[in-house]
Amino acid sequence: MVCLFSRKRSRRLFVIAALLAIGADQCATAANNDVEVIIDEAKLVRLDRPAAEIVVGNPSIADVSVQSGKLLVVTGKSFGETNLIVMDANGKLVANRQLIVQEPRTGFVTMYRGSKRQTLHCAPYCTPPLVIGDTPNIFEAVAGQITKKESISQSAAEGERQQ
């Protein structure tokens, strides 16, 4: 009788372990559906079917564009999480994924002076990047420089001369 009890018990434990392993595998698959991108960088996302309509929950966090019918380019715009919904020409769901925009992992130094904050990117020389949360006058100065640079580049691309 003791032997039968231990066989039933070991069989039950085996079934429970198998179910837990399947559940863990499904959780890993679900986590792999997340699209993680670094701020100011792009990542390619491949789809099973061509996209006809794209919805980004919060477009201030990430931008998504279609490279080809089955290839999307996700660009991180600011820190945070939002979602991406992709539908085909028939309105059927192609993808529903979480977009996670993270800060770069290396090269950044944040300095605090009282309540003022400034971020520098040091690789190997330190320059100020545009980082949300930096003191407004620092943020606005860097944003102005970026805007001016983009204006010069756009004018050059259009064949105009910048004054």
Side-chain angles (χ1 to χ4, degrees), residues 3-144:
C3 189
L4 277 175
F5 178 75
S6 64
R7 275 190 186 164
K8 284 182 181 179
R9 185 172 183 204
S10 64
R11 197 174 293 146
R12 255 189 260 146
L13 289 173
F14 175 78
V15 170
I16 290 171
L19 290 173
L20 287 173
I22 291 169
D25 185 45
Q26 288 179 347
C27 288
T29 302
N32 289 339
N33 284 332
D34 291 350
V35 178
E36 295 181 7
V37 64
I38 303 296
I39 192 168
D40 294 331
E41 291 187 11
K43 188 169 202 175
L44 297 175
V45 175
R46 298 189 190 286
L47 301 172
D48 295 333
R49 298 190 312 272
E53 190 167 345
I54 298 171
V55 178
V56 177
N58 185 344
S60 68
I61 293 176
D63 185 39
V64 178
S65 60
V66 179
Q67 185 68 25
S68 69
K70 291 177 155 185
L71 186 64
L72 304 178
V73 178
V74 178
T75 305
K77 293 170 67 177
S78 66
F79 307 113
E81 292 187 30
T82 188
N83 65 319
L84 166 68
I85 300 170
V86 181
M87 293 174 282
D88 65 14
N90 298 322
K92 293 188 178 178
L93 189 67
V94 175
N96 186 1
R97 297 186 180 173
Q98 196 70 15
L99 298 179
I100 303 166
V101 180
Q102 301 173 340
E103 64 184 12
R105 291 173 179 85
T106 61
F108 282 84
V109 176
T110 303
M111 298 186 314
Y112 292 91
R113 292 182 187 133
S115 63
K116 296 178 182 179
R117 184 182 105 170
Q118 180 179 9
T119 304
L120 297 171
H121 183 257
C122 302
Y125 304 105
C126 295
T127 57
L130 186 63
V131 176
I132 295 169
D134 277 354
T135 301
N137 63 338
I138 294 169
F139 183 88
E140 290 164 9
V142 173

